[in-house]
Amino acid sequence: MKTYLVVWFSSEGVRPSEVNQRLLSLGFEPMQGSYDFVYNWNSNVGVEKILEFGDKVYLSLQGTGVMFKLETM
C-alpha cells in the first residue's frame, strides 16, 4: 500500500524546503506528477494505522500554513 500526499502552500507560512524536511523525517519521498509525496507501507495496513499516520502528518505540519490531502491505496 502507498499513501500519497498533496500539499498546498501559503505565502504566510513556512518555506517549502522546511515542509519538505518535515515530511522526509516521516518517511515520505518526494515525487512529480499528480502527487507531491508518497509513503510506501511495504505491506497492507488497516484504517486505524492510516489514521494514526494522518495524525502524525497533521502534527508535523501544524503551524506551517500548509493544507494537505492524503490518499491511501
Side-chain angles (χ1 to χ4, degrees):
M1 292 183 80
K2 293 183 179 189
T3 295
Y4 297 93
L5 176 71
V6 176
V7 294
W8 292 275
F9 296 98
S10 165
S11 60
E12 303 302 317
V14 300
R15 295 172 295 152
S17 59
E18 170 66 22
V19 172
N20 183 62
Q21 287 303 313
R22 291 181 187 210
L23 294 171
L24 291 176
S25 74
L26 292 175
F28 277 100
E29 298 175 20
M31 62 182 298
Q32 294 179 332
S34 299
Y35 303 101
D36 300 312
F37 294 88
V38 62
Y39 180 86
N40 190 349
W41 290 91
N42 293 320
S43 65
N44 288 335
V45 294
V47 172
E48 190 64 34
K49 282 279 192 200
I50 295 167
L51 290 173
E52 288 174 14
F53 188 62
D55 287 346
K56 288 181 184 179
V57 174
Y58 165 78
L59 291 171
S60 180
L61 297 178
Q62 193 172 29
T64 62
V66 169
M67 292 183 5
F68 67 93
K69 174 187 153 193
L70 294 170
E71 186 175 335
T72 301
M73 298 183 237

